[in-house]
Amino acid sequence: MSATPAATPLVSEVDQLLQRLGVPRAAYTGGTLAARSPITGEVLAQVPQQSAADATAAIGRAHVAFQAWRNVPAPRRGELVRLLGEELRAAKADLGLLVTIEAGKIPSEGLGEVQEMIDICDFAVGLSRQLYGLTIATERPGHRMMETWHPLGVCGVISAFNFPVAVWSWNAALALVCGDSVVWKPSEKTPLTALATHAIAQRAIARFGADAPEGLLELIVGQRDIGEVLVDDARVPVLSATGSTAMGRAVGPRLAARFARGILELGGNNAAIVAPTADLNLALRGIAFAAMGTAGQRCTTLRRLFVHESIYDQLVPQLAKVYANVQVGNPRTAGTLVGPLIDRMAFDGMQKALEQSRALGATVHGGGRVEGVGGADAYYVRPALVELQKHEGPALHETFAPILYVVRYSSIDEAIAMNNAVGAGLSSSIFTLNVREAEQFMSAAGSDCGIANVNIGPSGAEIGGAFGGEKETGGGREAGSDSWKAYMRRATNTINYSTALPLAQGVTFDV
């Protein structure tokens, strides 16, 4: 059994936060999973982990809960999500701060993530009265044909460290109004925010009353083995998994083998095009946030920039100046825009990509470790701006760190081809005032990504639009107009209210 972390000021602050958020101390003390803060590198808590058997039991409880929850009317289910939104509003400041401490986000991003949870709750509450099916024209007289939508079952959620709580809410809010139960396996790098969110959700359930069965929302904390239980259990008909493309390659075939649905949110090697007519001041601000926000650790982070040759020498030096001057440091310090990388592995991956770039003859601005911030186990880096002669090497693969590869282009067709010339297909954007270029970029012959923006960067999505991508990004969609259908099953119903029995397609079968 691991020792309790020393009561440093940050450890004491986190303990107080968790207590205010309603997390029992037994849930984050005396365990074997070290919860660290990337801000200082120190261990904040020792979280008990669940075993594969515990995960199986949690799925069993959730399955039994589903069998009761599916019979609760959808607007009543929406009331639970409304209460969850209320509880999140009350806890926003504390939960947002915990996100900052455990994931390293600047405070506005930590609070923004909780606001996103609140927003999806609002969205789902309205949706609870809009789970519409269609009435379908039938060729048979005296008949009516329609589709109805029914709850699907247990929804598994595997989330990543970079959005430690929002991803759960995107799935849970919709799954709950659709009549599903939820089992959540958070990243082992961010267990404390998951414990806090679970405690908040339990308060909403307590207020909701007896219509919410035990086991409706389950949390399992641990390593890969318990995630694999979610992937393989036949009682989990839909699984939302956020992570790397490599993770998706492992998860996807196992879901397919048992004919389960996968909502896969995987890698993103996102690009932006800066055209000759672009508003360069606007583009500069959009590029800076998209490339450096969250220390380059968003799935929608801008990683490749294609700048027209006629404006390259005007824009790129300005961008290099922004990179040189942006404040990197403790995210809780006023003025800081770039906080720490999550851990040593992220730092090593960044340095390897920069070494590969230099070997190709690239000009690298920044990218070094920032000393004197946090402890030896805290990894702060200057964002890197890498000027490449060709679209090649590490630019073709996602590195989860603040590296922006810049390449010149001469024609819009060339830029779109480079945008599409990678495995991932999550997000993309173009900065242009030319309507023809904008429309071409968004057309069937344009960007092949799930998100294609004009005059904003590829990063920063709203819950009203479907989030997700194509190709190696996995094809999943969360939030948006019809995402609820992923959590339900459709039945086609034909009702004969006549005394005859005509068959479709003119078939006759008289007996």
Side-chain angles (χ1 to χ4, degrees), residues 20-21 83-95 114 118 200 203 207:
R20 289 202 300 271
L21 288 163
L83 293 172
L84 175 59
E86 281 191 356
E87 293 294 337
L88 287 167
R89 283 179 171 86
K92 180 179 176 179
D94 282 344
L95 185 57
V114 182
I118 294 166
I200 291 167
R203 287 200 291 277
R207 290 176 60 193

Side-chain angles (χ1 to χ4, degrees), residues 270-353:
N270 315 293
I273 299 167
V274 186
T277 63
D279 178 333
L280 294 186
N281 288 329
L282 183 145
L284 193 66
R285 297 197 306 273
I287 292 165
F289 168 69
M292 294 187 284
T294 324
Q297 297 171 118
R298 288 179 176 231
C299 44
T300 53
T301 289
L302 175 60
R303 308 198 183 281
R304 299 175 296 138
L305 184 67
F306 307 123
V307 182
H308 192 268
E309 58 192 8
S310 66
I311 57 171
Y312 188 97
D313 291 335
Q314 182 180 356
L315 176 64
V316 175
Q318 294 181 51
L319 193 56
K321 185 176 180 180
V322 170
Y323 265 64
N325 293 323
V326 69
Q327 184 168 319
V328 179
N330 187 318
R332 301 176 70 182
T333 300
T336 295
L337 293 178
V338 179
L341 295 175
I342 190 66
D343 56 21
R344 174 65 182 269
M345 184 183 299
F347 175 77
D348 289 345
M350 179 178 182
Q351 298 311 306
K352 180 179 179 181

Side-chain angles (χ1 to χ4, degrees), residues 126-148:
L127 190 64
S128 69
R129 295 179 182 270
Q130 300 178 74
L131 302 176
Y132 299 139
L134 299 174
T135 298
I136 305 162
T138 172
E139 66 189 65
R140 289 168 283 188
H143 286 58
R144 180 163 67 91
M145 187 161 58
M146 64 183 184
E147 65 178 26
T148 53

Side-chain angles (χ1 to χ4, degrees), residues 45 180 253 346 373:
D180 300 338
V373 185

Side-chain angles (χ1 to χ4, degrees), residues 115-283:
Q115 185 60 49
E116 195 164 16
M117 301 173 77
I118 294 166
D119 292 346
I120 195 68
C121 285
D122 289 348
F123 182 85
V125 171
L127 190 64
S128 69
R129 295 179 182 270
Q130 300 178 74
L131 302 176
Y132 299 139
L134 299 174
T135 298
I136 305 162
T138 172
E139 66 189 65
R140 289 168 283 188
H143 286 58
R144 180 163 67 91
M145 187 161 58
M146 64 183 184
E147 65 178 26
T148 53
W149 291 86
H150 300 295
L152 188 59
V154 178
C155 172
V157 179
I158 298 175
S159 59
F161 77 86
N162 60 328
F163 278 85
V165 289
V167 169
W168 171 83
S169 70
W170 298 345
N171 290 279
L174 294 185
L176 285 172
V177 300
C178 289
D180 300 338
S181 55
V182 180
V183 180
W184 179 19
K185 192 274 180 195
S187 169
E188 57 271 26
K189 297 180 181 181
T190 50
L192 301 182
T193 44
L195 292 169
T197 299
H198 187 66
I200 291 167
Q202 293 306 309
R203 287 200 291 277
I205 287 174
R207 290 176 60 193
F208 182 74
D211 282 347
E214 183 181 355
L216 184 59
L217 294 175
E218 290 282 340
L219 174 67
I220 50 176
V221 176
Q223 305 297 321
R224 176 173 175 164
D225 61 326
I226 65 168
E228 291 177 338
V229 172
L230 272 178
V231 171
D232 294 333
D233 196 302
R235 295 169 297 178
V236 183
V238 57
L239 178 78
S240 171
T242 302
S244 67
T245 297
M247 182 268 279
R249 291 191 195 282
V251 168
R254 290 165 75 160
L255 294 176
R258 63 180 183 86
F259 303 103
R261 295 184 194 173
I263 303 173
L264 299 180
E265 300 287 359
L266 309 176
N269 194 0
N270 315 293
I273 299 167
V274 186
T277 63
D279 178 333
L280 294 186
N281 288 329
L282 183 145

